[in-house]
Amino acid sequence: MKTLVIAEKPSVGRDIARVLGCTKKENGVIEGNRYVVTWALGHLVTLQDPEDYDKKYREWKLESLPMMPERLKTKVIPQTGKQYHTVISQLSRKDVGDVVIATDAGREGELVARWILDQAHNQKPCRRLWISSVTDKAIREGFANLKDAKEYDSLYQAAVSRAEADWLVGINATRALTCKYNAQLSCGRVQTPTLAMIDQREQEIRRFVPKTYYTVTAAAEGVTFIWKEENGGGTRIMDRQRAEKIREKASCAPMILTRVDKKTKKSYAPELYDLTELQRDASKRFGFSAKQTLNLMQSLYETHKVLTYPRTDSHYLTSDLVSTIPERLEAISTGPYRKMAAQAKRMPLGGKLSFVNDAKVSDHHAIIPTEEYVQLNHMSAEERKIYDLVVKRFLAVLSAPCVYEETTVEAEQNGERFAAKGKRILEMGWREVYEGSVLEQEENREEIREQNLPKLEKGQRFSEVKIAIREGKTTPPARFTEGTLLLAMENPVRFMESREENLVESMEKAGGLGTVATRADIIEKLFHSFLLEKKGNEIYLTSKAKQLLRLVPEDLKKPELTAAWEMELTDIAKGNKGRKEFMEEIRS
């Protein structure tokens, strides 16, 4: 008997087939002695449309709402019907005894396969392939450790619940709005609160009134000091006359250093990438959209096989991956990474490692290089940029901490306090990976800027001091870019009306609006629906979006609603909550 393997995409199906020794190619199928490999093309099955339940729903009328079929049914998507029938013809073969679900290892991947199998009324036993990279080694190990598909039943229940809840709320609300206001208005439980957050930021910018402030600086012996408030240490003065008085008073006497404090400190590498942070960095550094970054990651994962599964929300690795690190370092030991990879190989991997935490990895670990040898010249310029971000972050966490000496200087001039700060790097550590460039670009928001300081001692006096007043203006909150919008979707707590502790905690546990896998698609959809537009890198609401937000029910605008959903879906996936109870809440 043979085993039917169902992958999510043709490219992954072909890789699995090659590793399993399948060579006989037909339309949408590759067969070998033991395995038959086929694939979906994304979803092949979807939920039925309203008019499939009753012809009266063809017309959009308020009186036919809400549309609440007792049981939501699925149907084959006409555009990909040919591939569905290919999969079903293989499934019904007499010589196929069982099935391996090899779709993407996540909630939506589970739905892709299960809907196909349910639609076909499959009775054959199923197992699950669960892997985080599609290298030959990962596929072989995955097939050696297949799990019973029943272990993922709860994940499937969560996936179906998500799809059905979005159908019931999204389709009914969209039709209600469109019919009532005679305008094409669509809303959803993630896209609408996302628009509401952008609108809230817009209101903050409109209400903002800039205020003028002043700082008093003192320059002596090549060091710039800044005046500090006696209580609280603030550096901004809101009154010009007061700034003038401080300057006059300080000018009447020499400057005396009252404190020179030197401390040796360590800074540690930033955490490994999850998808959201990678999308944010790619937006900030290269201007890539969230969707573009995800597509590039998908290519590096599926086609080049040099990076692990992209749709992850974890910054950590599991302990079983530690033994694979030397092999991964060997694979990236090329071109610009050779020197740092050689250094990283010497780092001890025993004991407690800051980037390893089994409890903080749910479905997938952080994004890291695979054991596949890399060929940089086979990548596009854009793929290289994403690959570079991931590899450098991986090398950074495997490097020693950066050791630096921080000097804090305080001075007094006729009773007025001034301060300066300096930093001298003693050991580059992980910063060597970035050769300073990426770090120097980071915006320094401190009022007391760090500078290179000469040798200074307590009690030292400066008689020649130039004192100046600088004028500045407070700035409004920045408009969202794709990078900062992703961050706000991940952590929308400040946009919540309610500050109840349990709701804030729920939002943090739920991981914000949408999931790491869907946020890029949601932002993309908002642009394609003409609800958002870009001017430069900044995101603006269109007049259509403003109209939608005026008319949509208040609850659908709140991040709390979708956060509560995601928490409950997570509980269903973990087997802690029943799907029936959740769907009853959605219907009510």
Side-chain angles (χ1 to χ4, degrees), residues 194 198 275-284 287-294 479-490 519-527 532-534 536-540:
T194 301
I198 299 167
L275 179 59
T276 303
E277 196 181 343
L278 183 65
Q279 286 169 320
R280 207 171 76 233
D281 270 9
S283 167
K284 187 166 69 178
F288 292 173
S289 72
K291 185 69 174 168
Q292 186 181 1
T293 299
L294 179 55
R479 281 197 165 79
F480 282 115
T481 63
E482 282 210 38
T484 56
L485 182 58
L486 281 166
L487 190 62
M489 289 174 79
E490 186 179 51
R519 286 181 196 125
D521 288 325
I522 289 156
I523 294 172
E524 199 77 0
K525 187 179 172 186
L526 291 170
F527 281 117
L532 293 182
E533 60 186 354
K534 253 189 194 175
N537 271 340
E538 295 181 329
I539 293 173
Y540 289 77

Side-chain angles (χ1 to χ4, degrees), residues 324-356:
T324 71
I325 289 173
E327 211 178 329
R328 293 170 197 269
L329 287 170
E330 195 59 46
I332 62 172
S333 297
T334 182
Y337 315 115
R338 186 178 282 117
K339 182 187 165 198
M340 288 308 298
Q343 284 183 28
K345 283 176 197 171
R346 293 197 288 272
M347 287 293 290
L349 291 173
K352 195 171 184 329
L353 298 167
S354 62
F355 55 89
V356 177

